[in-house]
């Protein structure tokens, strides 16, 4: 795909790559010069450039998949426990939770993702295993797995997530014991996958809910709902700027990955480990901005 080659050349020439996340020490040493981008067509055919087949830490990108699993199993009842409004606050913020009685603003900030993982764990008895198996099928990569080093690193530095979980438990918005939930959540965040894996795995959001094997994972309406929450909340307090620049539903992670969806057309995943101050990949946002500008593919 010539457009991907052009973007890779532009990214390589761009000054400033941001800084890898250092609050999870295992991520801090990732080389910020790496860059990969993959585009998956609706039939799963993937094109890529740069480090598109290099596994990286998926982190918050996984929140899209746990939301999809939970929504498909629980339906609308989920929204009694987590909202679907942009937070306007950093992804790991505690402040809104007290004003809003332990109900997080949306499923993509850490507090909201903890609620979704807690509910998925109650529904399945194995939230992280369910997620891993789902991603293996949807990506077509049977070797996709957790990075135990990242899991251990986050477990050893998880005080803020523990605070969020305990605080919500005090409002009875968490059903499982907090240490059990944190272990599930940290495993979820430690999923290691490449741009090719994640672009393919997100395909059901471009296929209006149809999975890689032709099964109905979500109704068309639910796929639309998840895309809408990605657009408004997927890049946290930068969601407005991301929508302005990229014009697609997207979800970032502090590993430096971002997935994006062109409904009815294709899915994308970009990876550049250097982050901006809001926790989004600098080269990833720039590459998606260029992709939609060059191709005209956008929801607007
Ligand atoms: O819980 C955390 O802080 C990380 N495991 C995930 C945060 C994240 O990826 C937010 N991304 N921009």
């Amino acid at each position: 795909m010539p457009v991907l080659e052009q973007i890779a050349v532009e990214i390589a020439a761009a000054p400033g790559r941001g800084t890898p996340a250092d609050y999870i020490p295992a991520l801090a040493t990732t080389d910020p010069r790496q860059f990969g981008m993959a585009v998956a067509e609706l039939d799963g055919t993937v094109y890529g450039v740069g480090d598109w087949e290099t596994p990286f830490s998926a982190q918050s990108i996984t929140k899209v998949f746990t939301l999809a699993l939970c929504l498909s199993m629980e339906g609308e009842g989920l929204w009694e426990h987590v909202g679907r409004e942009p937070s306007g606050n950093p992804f790991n913020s505690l402040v809104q939770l007290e004003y809003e009685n332990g109900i997080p603003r949306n499923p993509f900030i850490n507090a909201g993702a903890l609620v979704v993982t807690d509910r998925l764990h109650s529904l399945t008895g194995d939230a992280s295993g369910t997620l891993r198996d789902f991603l293996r099928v949807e990506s077509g990569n049977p070797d996709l797995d957790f990075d135990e080093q990242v899991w251990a690193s986050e477990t050893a530095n998880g005080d803020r997530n523990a605070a969020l979980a305990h605080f919500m438990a005090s409002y009875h918005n968490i059903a499982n014991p907090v240490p059990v939930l944190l272990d599930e959540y940290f495993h979820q965040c430690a999923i290691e996958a490449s741009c090719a894996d994640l672009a393919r795995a997100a395909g059901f959001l471009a296929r209006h809910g149809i999975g890689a094997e032709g099964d109905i994972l979500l109704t068309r309406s639910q796929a639309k709902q998840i895309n809408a929450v990605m657009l408004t909340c997927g890049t946290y307090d930068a969601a407005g700027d991301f929508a302005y620049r990229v014009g697609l539903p997207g979800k970032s992670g502090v590993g430096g990955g971002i997935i994006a969806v062109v409904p009815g057309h294709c899915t994308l995943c970009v990876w550049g480990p250097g982050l901006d101050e809001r926790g989004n990949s600098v080269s990833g946002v720039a590459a998606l901005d260029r992709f939609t500008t060059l191709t005209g593919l956008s929801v607007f």
Side-chain angles (χ1 to χ4, degrees):
M1 231 186 216
V3 70
L4 297 186
E5 306 295 337
Q6 179 179 340
I7 291 168
V9 168
E10 289 181 17
I11 294 294
R17 283 294 173 97
T19 315
D22 59 4
Y23 76 103
I24 303 172
L27 301 181
T29 51
T30 318
D31 180 356
R33 287 167 304 183
Q34 295 173 95
F35 172 77
M37 183 166 192
V39 181
E41 294 182 339
L42 296 182
D43 66 0
T45 307
V46 192
Y47 305 91
V49 72
D51 302 309
W52 66 296
E53 292 173 302
T54 303
F56 63 90
S57 193
Q59 292 293 324
S60 288
I61 291 175
T62 58
K63 293 170 183 174
V64 172
F65 302 105
T66 48
L67 175 63
L69 286 163
C70 209
L71 195 61
S72 72
M73 292 178 200
E74 188 174 9
E76 290 291 298
L78 171 65
W79 302 116
E80 289 168 25
H81 302 273
V82 59
R84 44 181 194 250
E85 291 294 343
S87 69
N89 278 308
F91 63 82
N92 55 3
S93 173
L94 280 145
V95 292
Q96 254 165 2
L97 269 184
E98 184 160 24
Y99 294 120
E100 299 179 2
N101 302 321
I103 308 289
R105 272 288 171 107
N106 68 65
F108 293 152
I109 52 174
N110 286 8
L114 284 161
V115 167
V116 174
T117 300
D118 178 63
R119 302 195 72 73
L120 186 62
H121 197 61
S122 296
L123 288 161
T124 63
D126 180 9
S128 56
T130 303
L131 169 70
R132 180 190 53 192
D133 294 349
F134 177 83
L135 288 173
R136 284 179 175 174
V137 172
E138 293 307 311
S139 68
N141 176 2
D143 298 325
L144 187 146
D145 218 333
F146 309 112
D147 178 337
E148 294 294 343
Q149 211 189 325
V150 170
W151 166 81
S153 184
E154 196 161 0
T155 298
N157 295 275
D159 290 328
R160 186 173 277 261
N161 282 316
L164 290 166
H166 280 293
F167 193 70
M168 292 188 290
S170 79
Y171 284 96
H172 308 291
N173 199 21
I174 296 292
N176 292 284
V178 167
V180 171
L181 167 59
L182 290 174
D183 192 56
E184 291 300 315
Y185 174 79
F186 292 144
H187 268 105
Q188 164 187 328
C189 294
I191 287 275
E192 193 181 46
S194 67
C195 288
D197 294 332
L198 291 169
R200 256 205 218 104
F204 68 96
L205 291 171
R207 292 188 296 265
H208 306 297
I210 305 299
E213 298 181 337
D215 45 331
I216 299 173
L217 296 176
L218 298 173
T219 65
R220 190 181 176 104
S221 168
Q222 286 171 327
K224 175 200 72 179
Q225 290 161 353
I226 291 181
N227 280 322
V229 180
M230 285 171 72
L231 181 74
T232 53
C233 309
T235 45
Y236 315 107
D237 45 340
D241 190 57
F242 185 84
Y244 176 85
R245 290 181 64 187
V246 176
L248 292 175
K251 180 76 201 81
S252 63
V254 290
I258 308 176
I259 58 170
V261 183
V262 190
H265 201 97
C266 64
T267 44
L268 300 114
C269 182
V270 284
W271 175 54
L275 308 181
D276 61 23
E277 66 286 351
R278 285 146 154 185
N280 299 312
S281 167
V282 171
S283 53
V285 176
L288 290 170
D289 178 344
R290 290 301 289 148
F291 181 85
T292 54
T293 303
L294 290 167
T295 62
L297 287 172
S298 145
V299 295
F300 299 108

